[in-house]
Amino acid sequence: MTVSLFSQFLSPTLLGVPLVALALILPWVLFPSPSSRWQGNRMLSVQGWFINRFTQQIFMPLSLPGHKWALAFTSLMVFLITLNILGLLPYTFTPTTQLSINLAFAVPFWLATVLIGMRNQITASLGHLLPEGTPTLLIPILVIIETISLFIRPLALGVRLTANLTAGHLLMQLTSTAAFVLLHMMPMVSVLTGILLLMLSLLEIAVAMIQAYVFVLLLSLYLQENV
């Protein structure tokens, strides 16, 4: 049971070649591309409305220099949502359940925000390491604590996304296994478990979207501290 339960998180291979790159490239093919016509279809309209609303929500608190990141953050948001939702389909692989891939998303963006702060306003960026009014005896301890919390931010981003998606996938697999096993022994209980699985699937779709939003929202907060 343990092997079959966690085997869904193993990277798929074909003839010994990992297919993670294919799983990361495939979502870009599914995105609708803008047409040259003046009036687009419904899919393009929904996509444009969603991107506009998300961009306004994320970048409203940021100053004007931070708006340069709108394209990068919006693309990351749409990409993460697509990966998370596609991973809920049967017989698919979710790359965002891998901590290494999530860290590959989190570390470059976090490092870029820190470097921008060090370049543009190094005094204000270093000032975050020491709160105002700190007693003299606590200054070395607080500097060490704030430095650790600064470097742990990308790890927290990756672990949060990985843990939430992994827990959801495991819960769905356990519920579906229980519904299948109980089908012949207790049909009514199996039907109720199937309804629970349907509700859990809808919840996981919401979680997939919310976690992608939280991932980008926290990156925007880190950017807000440094611009």
Side-chain angles (χ1 to χ4, degrees), residues 112-125:
T113 59
V114 173
L115 293 179
I116 285 178
M118 291 296 181
R119 186 189 66 179
N120 296 337
Q121 45 179 14
I122 185 171
T123 303
S125 297

Side-chain angles (χ1 to χ4, degrees), residues 141-198:
I141 300 176
L142 283 180
V143 169
I144 295 175
I145 293 175
E146 291 295 331
T147 304
I148 294 175
S149 66
L150 175 66
F151 282 96
I152 212 172
R153 284 179 174 180
L155 181 61
L157 283 175
V159 170
R160 180 184 295 106
L161 183 58
T162 303
N164 282 281
L165 295 180
T166 302
H169 282 64
L170 289 175
L171 192 57
M172 289 180 62
Q173 184 169 357
L174 289 172
T175 307
S176 60
T177 303
F180 180 76
V181 171
L182 295 173
L183 182 60
H184 300 288
M185 296 184 294
M186 291 179 286
M188 287 302 299
V189 178
S190 177
V191 171
L192 293 177
T193 308
I195 296 175
L196 177 62
L197 178 61
L198 177 60

